[in-house]
Amino acid sequence: MDSIKHWINGSYVPAGARTAPVTNPATGKVTGQVSLATEDEGNAAVAAAAAAFPAWRDTSLARRTQVLFAFRELLNARKGELAAILTAEHGKVLDDALGEVSRGQEVVEFACGIPHLLKGSFTENASTNVDVHSVRQALGPVAIISPFNFPAMVPMWFFPIALAAGNTVVLKPSEKDPSAANWLAELWKEAGLPDGVFNVLHGDKVAVDTLLTHPDIKAVSFVGSTPIAKYVYETATAHGKRVQALGGAKNHMIVLPDADLDLAADAAVNAGFGSAGERCMAISALLAVGPVADELVGKIAERTNALRTGDGSRGCDMGPLVTAAHRDKVAGYIDAGEAAGATLVVDGRTVTPDAEGDGFFVGPTLFDNVDTDMSIYRDEIFGPVLSVVRVDSYEQALHLINSNPYGNGTAIFTNDGGAARRFENEVEVGMVGINVPVPVPMAYYSFGGWKNSLFGDTHAHGTEGVGFFTRGKVVTTRWLDPSHGGINLGFPQNA
């Protein structure tokens, strides 16, 4: 059985007394024990990052970029190893795991261009013989607290930019699937990153609270549920840190009467059941406008019934949920939806998975005739449950999306360019897809939602990420005039 330890100052540290089991969700078997940090271990990780910061901050942009490029090449050559770790601990199928790694790698590639992104500005002779220039500088040690559903991609939203900009990092991954973080730490060392610049601290609330309150941590990046995102934001900002805390979602997809229903059905299945619905960008509420619902539900059901659920290493379409407790929670929502009177078209509780042992499976589930007061509509289920809500008009569909407390992602399916453009303008959501069900932006754009899906005002990666992990400094200089200006207590004036 693996012992999954903290990575501090370039090496593993002995396992402490507090541990938690790590399970293969496809088989139900415990495969390892992960260390759960004490406050002292958390302080040690921060101390390593703080000690490494001055030298890394002062490392040239050319050298930092070389390390980024080396990491990119190693990751590209060995991403199959990382994907296998994701499948073994999270449960997502191998193709999906490879896609996760590739999307994270896009941010690494974006960060390789950091010299251009850190350029300041210069004004010559702003006042007589006075020049002014601006620079962007690193913050110091920063913390990344990442969720179980994307153990590789979400940390890679943040740490490539943080490191490229000259910061040092303490990564706190989910204790449910922690091994990907250690694999990434080893890869950074192989790429030439100095010891202490990238550290991995495993744990639970003790580790999180240590990072949120430690005076040497300058910024916190978080992805997780809305209640925890709010807690992270409030606690860390109260301790003087800048914070980007991405929360939960309830993503809606509108299908207008003129849409290509085969395309829409494919998209609903892909976005609703990919990664067993454990995505913050998953579609969980489908708003069928006007007369299309019967045909659309039939097409979705046909596709759903053809899906193969099982062990992600066996070429299945959909894998298990991450833990037994989460499986039971999702199954409870299916019970509640049925009891509330929604039409259960496809029942995932009856699935026979292609897997050995006692894995944590709920198959793809489809509800029709869902009302907005039902828990399966209101709550973020975070599982393979797709709810079809029948609405009479575009206006009614838009109202449901805009009145929802979440605003992470949304999509509309239509062949009407005017309707699509109107939706793009009127919808109150951070990421919008037009005939694209999961509109995750490229790395050079920002990722983030609105409303209760984001606490803080900065989204992940892109130029917003560069701004988050740096701070501005303006320098005013005078060299050419050797004369003494004399005493003048007035406010400086340009001349």
PDB file of all heavy atoms in Angstrom, residues 387-423:
ATOM      1  N   SER A 387     -31.432  16.891 -15.666  1.00  0.00           N
ATOM      2  CA  SER A 387     -32.838  17.237 -15.465  1.00  0.00           C
ATOM      3  C   SER A 387     -33.340  18.082 -16.626  1.00  0.00           C
ATOM      4  O   SER A 387     -32.750  19.120 -16.940  1.00  0.00           O
ATOM      5  CB  SER A 387     -33.016  18.026 -14.158  1.00  0.00           C
ATOM      6  OG  SER A 387     -32.651  17.244 -13.042  1.00  0.00           O
ATOM      7  N   VAL A 388     -34.429  17.648 -17.245  1.00  0.00           N
ATOM      8  CA  VAL A 388     -35.048  18.400 -18.336  1.00  0.00           C
ATOM      9  C   VAL A 388     -36.213  19.203 -17.779  1.00  0.00           C
ATOM     10  O   VAL A 388     -37.147  18.642 -17.191  1.00  0.00           O
ATOM     11  CB  VAL A 388     -35.527  17.468 -19.459  1.00  0.00           C
ATOM     12  CG1 VAL A 388     -36.230  18.277 -20.549  1.00  0.00           C
ATOM     13  CG2 VAL A 388     -34.339  16.698 -20.049  1.00  0.00           C
ATOM     14  N   VAL A 389     -36.128  20.517 -17.956  1.00  0.00           N
ATOM     15  CA  VAL A 389     -37.188  21.435 -17.551  1.00  0.00           C
ATOM     16  C   VAL A 389     -37.840  21.973 -18.818  1.00  0.00           C
ATOM     17  O   VAL A 389     -37.158  22.513 -19.697  1.00  0.00           O
ATOM     18  CB  VAL A 389     -36.629  22.594 -16.709  1.00  0.00           C
ATOM     19  CG1 VAL A 389     -37.744  23.555 -16.300  1.00  0.00           C
ATOM     20  CG2 VAL A 389     -35.896  22.058 -15.482  1.00  0.00           C
ATOM     21  N   ARG A 390     -39.144  21.815 -18.925  1.00  0.00           N
ATOM     22  CA  ARG A 390     -39.868  22.283 -20.112  1.00  0.00           C
ATOM     23  C   ARG A 390     -40.332  23.724 -19.896  1.00  0.00           C
ATOM     24  O   ARG A 390     -40.978  24.026 -18.890  1.00  0.00           O
ATOM     25  CB  ARG A 390     -41.065  21.374 -20.394  1.00  0.00           C
ATOM     26  CG  ARG A 390     -40.644  19.927 -20.691  1.00  0.00           C
ATOM     27  CD  ARG A 390     -41.835  19.033 -20.971  1.00  0.00           C
ATOM     28  NE  ARG A 390     -41.407  17.657 -21.285  1.00  0.00           N
ATOM     29  CZ  ARG A 390     -41.871  16.949 -22.303  1.00  0.00           C
ATOM     30  NH1 ARG A 390     -42.790  17.467 -23.109  1.00  0.00           N
ATOM     31  NH2 ARG A 390     -41.435  15.722 -22.510  1.00  0.00           N
ATOM     32  N   VAL A 391     -39.968  24.604 -20.838  1.00  0.00           N
ATOM     33  CA  VAL A 391     -40.347  26.010 -20.749  1.00  0.00           C
ATOM     34  C   VAL A 391     -41.019  26.420 -22.051  1.00  0.00           C
ATOM     35  O   VAL A 391     -40.828  25.794 -23.100  1.00  0.00           O
ATOM     36  CB  VAL A 391     -39.127  26.911 -20.457  1.00  0.00           C
ATOM     37  CG1 VAL A 391     -38.532  26.597 -19.094  1.00  0.00           C
ATOM     38  CG2 VAL A 391     -38.067  26.756 -21.537  1.00  0.00           C
ATOM     39  N   ASP A 392     -41.788  27.499 -21.975  1.00  0.00           N
ATOM     40  CA  ASP A 392     -42.578  27.930 -23.133  1.00  0.00           C
ATOM     41  C   ASP A 392     -41.819  28.864 -24.064  1.00  0.00           C
ATOM     42  O   ASP A 392     -42.177  28.977 -25.240  1.00  0.00           O
ATOM     43  CB  ASP A 392     -43.857  28.631 -22.650  1.00  0.00           C
ATOM     44  CG  ASP A 392     -44.786  27.686 -21.913  1.00  0.00           C
ATOM     45  OD1 ASP A 392     -44.806  26.483 -22.255  1.00  0.00           O
ATOM     46  OD2 ASP A 392     -45.475  28.142 -20.973  1.00  0.00           O
ATOM     47  N   SER A 393     -40.800  29.559 -23.550  1.00  0.00           N
ATOM     48  CA  SER A 393     -40.180  30.608 -24.366  1.00  0.00           C
ATOM     49  C   SER A 393     -38.726  30.817 -23.989  1.00  0.00           C
ATOM     50  O   SER A 393     -38.271  30.397 -22.910  1.00  0.00           O
ATOM     51  CB  SER A 393     -40.935  31.932 -24.162  1.00  0.00           C
ATOM     52  OG  SER A 393     -40.785  32.384 -22.817  1.00  0.00           O
ATOM     53  N   TYR A 394     -38.024  31.483 -24.897  1.00  0.00           N
ATOM     54  CA  TYR A 394     -36.654  31.896 -24.608  1.00  0.00           C
ATOM     55  C   TYR A 394     -36.608  32.774 -23.372  1.00  0.00           C
ATOM     56  O   TYR A 394     -35.723  32.640 -22.516  1.00  0.00           O
ATOM     57  CB  TYR A 394     -36.089  32.649 -25.821  1.00  0.00           C
ATOM     58  CG  TYR A 394     -34.865  33.483 -25.506  1.00  0.00           C
ATOM     59  CD1 TYR A 394     -33.594  32.915 -25.535  1.00  0.00           C
ATOM     60  CD2 TYR A 394     -34.976  34.842 -25.184  1.00  0.00           C
ATOM     61  CE1 TYR A 394     -32.461  33.677 -25.241  1.00  0.00           C
ATOM     62  CE2 TYR A 394     -33.851  35.610 -24.889  1.00  0.00           C
ATOM     63  CZ  TYR A 394     -32.604  35.021 -24.911  1.00  0.00           C
ATOM     64  OH  TYR A 394     -31.498  35.774 -24.610  1.00  0.00           O
ATOM     65  N   GLU A 395     -37.564  33.708 -23.258  1.00  0.00           N
ATOM     66  CA  GLU A 395     -37.575  34.630 -22.127  1.00  0.00           C
ATOM     67  C   GLU A 395     -37.693  33.884 -20.800  1.00  0.00           C
ATOM     68  O   GLU A 395     -37.020  34.232 -19.813  1.00  0.00           O
ATOM     69  CB  GLU A 395     -38.716  35.637 -22.265  1.00  0.00           C
ATOM     70  CG  GLU A 395     -38.516  36.685 -23.357  1.00  0.00           C
ATOM     71  CD  GLU A 395     -38.762  36.132 -24.760  1.00  0.00           C
ATOM     72  OE1 GLU A 395     -39.335  35.020 -24.874  1.00  0.00           O
ATOM     73  OE2 GLU A 395     -38.377  36.805 -25.736  1.00  0.00           O
ATOM     74  N   GLN A 396     -38.525  32.843 -20.767  1.00  0.00           N
ATOM     75  CA  GLN A 396     -38.678  32.069 -19.539  1.00  0.00           C
ATOM     76  C   GLN A 396     -37.386  31.326 -19.211  1.00  0.00           C
ATOM     77  O   GLN A 396     -36.961  31.274 -18.047  1.00  0.00           O
ATOM     78  CB  GLN A 396     -39.835  31.082 -19.683  1.00  0.00           C
ATOM     79  CG  GLN A 396     -40.145  30.298 -18.414  1.00  0.00           C
ATOM     80  CD  GLN A 396     -41.266  29.286 -18.614  1.00  0.00           C
ATOM     81  OE1 GLN A 396     -41.878  29.212 -19.678  1.00  0.00           O
ATOM     82  NE2 GLN A 396     -41.531  28.500 -17.580  1.00  0.00           N
ATOM     83  N   ALA A 397     -36.749  30.772 -20.227  1.00  0.00           N
ATOM     84  CA  ALA A 397     -35.483  30.067 -20.007  1.00  0.00           C
ATOM     85  C   ALA A 397     -34.412  31.025 -19.485  1.00  0.00           C
ATOM     86  O   ALA A 397     -33.681  30.709 -18.536  1.00  0.00           O
ATOM     87  CB  ALA A 397     -35.029  29.406 -21.299  1.00  0.00           C
ATOM     88  N   LEU A 398     -34.304  32.196 -20.108  1.00  0.00           N
ATOM     89  CA  LEU A 398     -33.316  33.178 -19.677  1.00  0.00           C
ATOM     90  C   LEU A 398     -33.564  33.600 -18.234  1.00  0.00           C
ATOM     91  O   LEU A 398     -32.617  33.742 -17.442  1.00  0.00           O
ATOM     92  CB  LEU A 398     -33.359  34.390 -20.597  1.00  0.00           C
ATOM     93  CG  LEU A 398     -32.363  35.507 -20.263  1.00  0.00           C
ATOM     94  CD1 LEU A 398     -30.942  35.072 -20.601  1.00  0.00           C
ATOM     95  CD2 LEU A 398     -32.726  36.790 -21.020  1.00  0.00           C
ATOM     96  N   HIS A 399     -34.816  33.772 -17.861  1.00  0.00           N
ATOM     97  CA  HIS A 399     -35.138  34.177 -16.492  1.00  0.00           C
ATOM     98  C   HIS A 399     -34.669  33.117 -15.490  1.00  0.00           C
ATOM     99  O   HIS A 399     -34.135  33.471 -14.418  1.00  0.00           O
ATOM    100  CB  HIS A 399     -36.642  34.394 -16.352  1.00  0.00           C
ATOM    101  CG  HIS A 399     -37.078  34.633 -14.930  1.00  0.00           C
ATOM    102  ND1 HIS A 399     -36.847  35.813 -14.270  1.00  0.00           N
ATOM    103  CD2 HIS A 399     -37.723  33.804 -14.047  1.00  0.00           C
ATOM    104  CE1 HIS A 399     -37.317  35.725 -13.038  1.00  0.00           C
ATOM    105  NE2 HIS A 399     -37.854  34.531 -12.879  1.00  0.00           N
ATOM    106  N   LEU A 400     -34.848  31.847 -15.817  1.00  0.00           N
ATOM    107  CA  LEU A 400     -34.407  30.798 -14.899  1.00  0.00           C
ATOM    108  C   LEU A 400     -32.894  30.849 -14.699  1.00  0.00           C
ATOM    109  O   LEU A 400     -32.398  30.688 -13.577  1.00  0.00           O
ATOM    110  CB  LEU A 400     -34.821  29.421 -15.433  1.00  0.00           C
ATOM    111  CG  LEU A 400     -36.305  29.078 -15.372  1.00  0.00           C
ATOM    112  CD1 LEU A 400     -36.561  27.698 -15.963  1.00  0.00           C
ATOM    113  CD2 LEU A 400     -36.812  29.138 -13.931  1.00  0.00           C
ATOM    114  N   ILE A 401     -32.147  31.063 -15.770  1.00  0.00           N
ATOM    115  CA  ILE A 401     -30.689  31.111 -15.656  1.00  0.00           C
ATOM    116  C   ILE A 401     -30.256  32.338 -14.850  1.00  0.00           C
ATOM    117  O   ILE A 401     -29.430  32.240 -13.928  1.00  0.00           O
ATOM    118  CB  ILE A 401     -30.037  31.127 -17.049  1.00  0.00           C
ATOM    119  CG1 ILE A 401     -30.369  29.849 -17.813  1.00  0.00           C
ATOM    120  CG2 ILE A 401     -28.527  31.294 -16.928  1.00  0.00           C
ATOM    121  CD1 ILE A 401     -29.907  29.858 -19.255  1.00  0.00           C
ATOM    122  N   ASN A 402     -30.814  33.484 -15.169  1.00  0.00           N
ATOM    123  CA  ASN A 402     -30.378  34.717 -14.514  1.00  0.00           C
ATOM    124  C   ASN A 402     -30.824  34.808 -13.061  1.00  0.00           C
ATOM    125  O   ASN A 402     -30.200  35.505 -12.266  1.00  0.00           O
ATOM    126  CB  ASN A 402     -30.866  35.928 -15.297  1.00  0.00           C
ATOM    127  CG  ASN A 402     -30.091  36.138 -16.583  1.00  0.00           C
ATOM    128  OD1 ASN A 402     -29.068  35.501 -16.815  1.00  0.00           O
ATOM    129  ND2 ASN A 402     -30.584  37.029 -17.433  1.00  0.00           N
ATOM    130  N   SER A 403     -31.883  34.120 -12.697  1.00  0.00           N
ATOM    131  CA  SER A 403     -32.339  34.137 -11.309  1.00  0.00           C
ATOM    132  C   SER A 403     -31.671  33.066 -10.466  1.00  0.00           C
ATOM    133  O   SER A 403     -31.842  33.044  -9.243  1.00  0.00           O
ATOM    134  CB  SER A 403     -33.865  33.970 -11.249  1.00  0.00           C
ATOM    135  OG  SER A 403     -34.263  32.721 -11.801  1.00  0.00           O
ATOM    136  N   ASN A 404     -30.898  32.186 -11.097  1.00  0.00           N
ATOM    137  CA  ASN A 404     -30.198  31.154 -10.348  1.00  0.00           C
ATOM    138  C   ASN A 404     -29.038  31.779  -9.568  1.00  0.00           C
ATOM    139  O   ASN A 404     -28.370  32.683 -10.059  1.00  0.00           O
ATOM    140  CB  ASN A 404     -29.676  30.082 -11.307  1.00  0.00           C
ATOM    141  CG  ASN A 404     -29.237  28.822 -10.585  1.00  0.00           C
ATOM    142  OD1 ASN A 404     -28.108  28.715 -10.128  1.00  0.00           O
ATOM    143  ND2 ASN A 404     -30.144  27.866 -10.477  1.00  0.00           N
ATOM    144  N   PRO A 405     -28.782  31.296  -8.349  1.00  0.00           N
ATOM    145  CA  PRO A 405     -27.694  31.905  -7.560  1.00  0.00           C
ATOM    146  C   PRO A 405     -26.307  31.643  -8.120  1.00  0.00           C
ATOM    147  O   PRO A 405     -25.353  32.336  -7.756  1.00  0.00           O
ATOM    148  CB  PRO A 405     -27.860  31.262  -6.181  1.00  0.00           C
ATOM    149  CG  PRO A 405     -28.628  29.997  -6.413  1.00  0.00           C
ATOM    150  CD  PRO A 405     -29.536  30.297  -7.560  1.00  0.00           C
ATOM    151  N   TYR A 406     -26.168  30.630  -8.988  1.00  0.00           N
ATOM    152  CA  TYR A 406     -24.875  30.330  -9.595  1.00  0.00           C
ATOM    153  C   TYR A 406     -24.772  30.982 -10.973  1.00  0.00           C
ATOM    154  O   TYR A 406     -25.774  31.257 -11.621  1.00  0.00           O
ATOM    155  CB  TYR A 406     -24.678  28.823  -9.739  1.00  0.00           C
ATOM    156  CG  TYR A 406     -24.675  28.055  -8.438  1.00  0.00           C
ATOM    157  CD1 TYR A 406     -25.748  27.239  -8.088  1.00  0.00           C
ATOM    158  CD2 TYR A 406     -23.606  28.145  -7.557  1.00  0.00           C
ATOM    159  CE1 TYR A 406     -25.750  26.525  -6.898  1.00  0.00           C
ATOM    160  CE2 TYR A 406     -23.588  27.436  -6.373  1.00  0.00           C
ATOM    161  CZ  TYR A 406     -24.663  26.620  -6.043  1.00  0.00           C
ATOM    162  OH  TYR A 406     -24.660  25.920  -4.864  1.00  0.00           O
ATOM    163  N   GLY A 407     -23.538  31.180 -11.417  1.00  0.00           N
ATOM    164  CA  GLY A 407     -23.333  31.768 -12.738  1.00  0.00           C
ATOM    165  C   GLY A 407     -22.028  31.319 -13.349  1.00  0.00           C
ATOM    166  O   GLY A 407     -21.244  32.145 -13.828  1.00  0.00           O
ATOM    167  N   ASN A 408     -21.773  30.016 -13.346  1.00  0.00           N
ATOM    168  CA  ASN A 408     -20.478  29.524 -13.814  1.00  0.00           C
ATOM    169  C   ASN A 408     -20.465  29.380 -15.335  1.00  0.00           C
ATOM    170  O   ASN A 408     -19.795  30.127 -16.038  1.00  0.00           O
ATOM    171  CB  ASN A 408     -20.148  28.190 -13.147  1.00  0.00           C
ATOM    172  CG  ASN A 408     -18.657  27.939 -13.062  1.00  0.00           C
ATOM    173  OD1 ASN A 408     -17.912  28.832 -12.668  1.00  0.00           O
ATOM    174  ND2 ASN A 408     -18.216  26.746 -13.411  1.00  0.00           N
ATOM    175  N   GLY A 409     -21.188  28.398 -15.880  1.00  0.00           N
ATOM    176  CA  GLY A 409     -21.227  28.182 -17.315  1.00  0.00           C
ATOM    177  C   GLY A 409     -22.647  27.988 -17.807  1.00  0.00           C
ATOM    178  O   GLY A 409     -23.556  27.636 -17.044  1.00  0.00           O
ATOM    179  N   THR A 410     -22.855  28.219 -19.088  1.00  0.00           N
ATOM    180  CA  THR A 410     -24.170  28.004 -19.695  1.00  0.00           C
ATOM    181  C   THR A 410     -23.971  27.802 -21.188  1.00  0.00           C
ATOM    182  O   THR A 410     -22.895  28.056 -21.731  1.00  0.00           O
ATOM    183  CB  THR A 410     -25.106  29.192 -19.433  1.00  0.00           C
ATOM    184  OG1 THR A 410     -26.441  28.867 -19.848  1.00  0.00           O
ATOM    185  CG2 THR A 410     -24.648  30.443 -20.190  1.00  0.00           C
ATOM    186  N   ALA A 411     -25.033  27.340 -21.854  1.00  0.00           N
ATOM    187  CA  ALA A 411     -24.962  27.114 -23.294  1.00  0.00           C
ATOM    188  C   ALA A 411     -26.342  27.296 -23.902  1.00  0.00           C
ATOM    189  O   ALA A 411     -27.368  27.103 -23.233  1.00  0.00           O
ATOM    190  CB  ALA A 411     -24.435  25.713 -23.606  1.00  0.00           C
ATOM    191  N   ILE A 412     -26.364  27.655 -25.180  1.00  0.00           N
ATOM    192  CA  ILE A 412     -27.602  27.708 -25.945  1.00  0.00           C
ATOM    193  C   ILE A 412     -27.374  26.980 -27.259  1.00  0.00           C
ATOM    194  O   ILE A 412     -26.302  27.098 -27.869  1.00  0.00           O
ATOM    195  CB  ILE A 412     -28.055  29.161 -26.198  1.00  0.00           C
ATOM    196  CG1 ILE A 412     -29.456  29.191 -26.839  1.00  0.00           C
ATOM    197  CG2 ILE A 412     -27.052  29.924 -27.034  1.00  0.00           C
ATOM    198  CD1 ILE A 412     -30.067  30.585 -26.894  1.00  0.00           C
ATOM    199  N   PHE A 413     -28.376  26.197 -27.670  1.00  0.00           N
ATOM    200  CA  PHE A 413     -28.310  25.485 -28.952  1.00  0.00           C
ATOM    201  C   PHE A 413     -29.392  26.034 -29.853  1.00  0.00           C
ATOM    202  O   PHE A 413     -30.584  25.989 -29.538  1.00  0.00           O
ATOM    203  CB  PHE A 413     -28.439  23.973 -28.730  1.00  0.00           C
ATOM    204  CG  PHE A 413     -27.127  23.339 -28.341  1.00  0.00           C
ATOM    205  CD1 PHE A 413     -26.617  23.528 -27.074  1.00  0.00           C
ATOM    206  CD2 PHE A 413     -26.389  22.612 -29.255  1.00  0.00           C
ATOM    207  CE1 PHE A 413     -25.393  22.992 -26.712  1.00  0.00           C
ATOM    208  CE2 PHE A 413     -25.165  22.068 -28.916  1.00  0.00           C
ATOM    209  CZ  PHE A 413     -24.663  22.251 -27.642  1.00  0.00           C
ATOM    210  N   THR A 414     -28.936  26.586 -30.968  1.00  0.00           N
ATOM    211  CA  THR A 414     -29.842  27.239 -31.902  1.00  0.00           C
ATOM    212  C   THR A 414     -29.125  27.427 -33.232  1.00  0.00           C
ATOM    213  O   THR A 414     -27.897  27.439 -33.292  1.00  0.00           O
ATOM    214  CB  THR A 414     -30.293  28.609 -31.349  1.00  0.00           C
ATOM    215  OG1 THR A 414     -31.164  29.246 -32.288  1.00  0.00           O
ATOM    216  CG2 THR A 414     -29.097  29.528 -31.104  1.00  0.00           C
ATOM    217  N   ASN A 415     -29.894  27.591 -34.299  1.00  0.00           N
ATOM    218  CA  ASN A 415     -29.351  27.986 -35.592  1.00  0.00           C
ATOM    219  C   ASN A 415     -29.671  29.437 -35.919  1.00  0.00           C
ATOM    220  O   ASN A 415     -29.428  29.898 -37.038  1.00  0.00           O
ATOM    221  CB  ASN A 415     -29.895  27.067 -36.693  1.00  0.00           C
ATOM    222  CG  ASN A 415     -29.239  25.705 -36.682  1.00  0.00           C
ATOM    223  OD1 ASN A 415     -28.017  25.599 -36.626  1.00  0.00           O
ATOM    224  ND2 ASN A 415     -30.038  24.650 -36.723  1.00  0.00           N
ATOM    225  N   ASP A 416     -30.206  30.158 -34.944  1.00  0.00           N
ATOM    226  CA  ASP A 416     -30.605  31.547 -35.106  1.00  0.00           C
ATOM    227  C   ASP A 416     -29.510  32.445 -34.536  1.00  0.00           C
ATOM    228  O   ASP A 416     -29.329  32.531 -33.318  1.00  0.00           O
ATOM    229  CB  ASP A 416     -31.926  31.779 -34.368  1.00  0.00           C
ATOM    230  CG  ASP A 416     -32.494  33.181 -34.573  1.00  0.00           C
ATOM    231  OD1 ASP A 416     -31.709  34.100 -34.882  1.00  0.00           O
ATOM    232  OD2 ASP A 416     -33.716  33.351 -34.409  1.00  0.00           O
ATOM    233  N   GLY A 417     -28.761  33.097 -35.415  1.00  0.00           N
ATOM    234  CA  GLY A 417     -27.668  33.947 -34.963  1.00  0.00           C
ATOM    235  C   GLY A 417     -28.140  35.099 -34.101  1.00  0.00           C
ATOM    236  O   GLY A 417     -27.454  35.497 -33.152  1.00  0.00           O
ATOM    237  N   GLY A 418     -29.309  35.633 -34.411  1.00  0.00           N
ATOM    238  CA  GLY A 418     -29.825  36.734 -33.607  1.00  0.00           C
ATOM    239  C   GLY A 418     -30.153  36.301 -32.192  1.00  0.00           C
ATOM    240  O   GLY A 418     -29.857  37.010 -31.228  1.00  0.00           O
ATOM    241  N   ALA A 419     -30.759  35.131 -32.061  1.00  0.00           N
ATOM    242  CA  ALA A 419     -31.071  34.619 -30.723  1.00  0.00           C
ATOM    243  C   ALA A 419     -29.798  34.346 -29.934  1.00  0.00           C
ATOM    244  O   ALA A 419     -29.709  34.630 -28.734  1.00  0.00           O
ATOM    245  CB  ALA A 419     -31.909  33.355 -30.837  1.00  0.00           C
ATOM    246  N   ALA A 420     -28.801  33.782 -30.617  1.00  0.00           N
ATOM    247  CA  ALA A 420     -27.538  33.488 -29.941  1.00  0.00           C
ATOM    248  C   ALA A 420     -26.863  34.773 -29.471  1.00  0.00           C
ATOM    249  O   ALA A 420     -26.347  34.843 -28.343  1.00  0.00           O
ATOM    250  CB  ALA A 420     -26.616  32.721 -30.879  1.00  0.00           C
ATOM    251  N   ARG A 421     -26.878  35.792 -30.319  1.00  0.00           N
ATOM    252  CA  ARG A 421     -26.232  37.051 -29.946  1.00  0.00           C
ATOM    253  C   ARG A 421     -26.978  37.723 -28.797  1.00  0.00           C
ATOM    254  O   ARG A 421     -26.359  38.298 -27.892  1.00  0.00           O
ATOM    255  CB  ARG A 421     -26.186  37.988 -31.156  1.00  0.00           C
ATOM    256  CG  ARG A 421     -25.289  39.193 -30.972  1.00  0.00           C
ATOM    257  CD  ARG A 421     -25.146  39.991 -32.268  1.00  0.00           C
ATOM    258  NE  ARG A 421     -24.153  41.047 -32.136  1.00  0.00           N
ATOM    259  CZ  ARG A 421     -24.390  42.241 -31.572  1.00  0.00           C
ATOM    260  NH1 ARG A 421     -25.608  42.512 -31.122  1.00  0.00           N
ATOM    261  NH2 ARG A 421     -23.416  43.141 -31.484  1.00  0.00           N
ATOM    262  N   ARG A 422     -28.300  37.624 -28.819  1.00  0.00           N
ATOM    263  CA  ARG A 422     -29.084  38.190 -27.724  1.00  0.00           C
ATOM    264  C   ARG A 422     -28.774  37.466 -26.413  1.00  0.00           C
ATOM    265  O   ARG A 422     -28.597  38.093 -25.363  1.00  0.00           O
ATOM    266  CB  ARG A 422     -30.573  38.077 -28.060  1.00  0.00           C
ATOM    267  CG  ARG A 422     -31.485  38.607 -26.961  1.00  0.00           C
ATOM    268  CD  ARG A 422     -32.949  38.435 -27.317  1.00  0.00           C
ATOM    269  NE  ARG A 422     -33.799  38.799 -26.200  1.00  0.00           N
ATOM    270  CZ  ARG A 422     -35.122  38.624 -26.157  1.00  0.00           C
ATOM    271  NH1 ARG A 422     -35.739  38.087 -27.215  1.00  0.00           N
ATOM    272  NH2 ARG A 422     -35.808  38.984 -25.092  1.00  0.00           N
ATOM    273  N   PHE A 423     -28.670  36.137 -26.468  1.00  0.00           N
ATOM    274  CA  PHE A 423     -28.365  35.349 -25.280  1.00  0.00           C
ATOM    275  C   PHE A 423     -26.988  35.708 -24.731  1.00  0.00           C
ATOM    276  O   PHE A 423     -26.803  35.905 -23.523  1.00  0.00           O
ATOM    277  CB  PHE A 423     -28.435  33.863 -25.631  1.00  0.00           C
ATOM    278  CG  PHE A 423     -28.138  32.936 -24.486  1.00  0.00           C
ATOM    279  CD1 PHE A 423     -29.037  32.793 -23.435  1.00  0.00           C
ATOM    280  CD2 PHE A 423     -26.967  32.190 -24.454  1.00  0.00           C
ATOM    281  CE1 PHE A 423     -28.773  31.931 -22.377  1.00  0.00           C
ATOM    282  CE2 PHE A 423     -26.691  31.325 -23.409  1.00  0.00           C
ATOM    283  CZ  PHE A 423     -27.601  31.193 -22.369  1.00  0.00           C
TER     284      PHE A 423
END
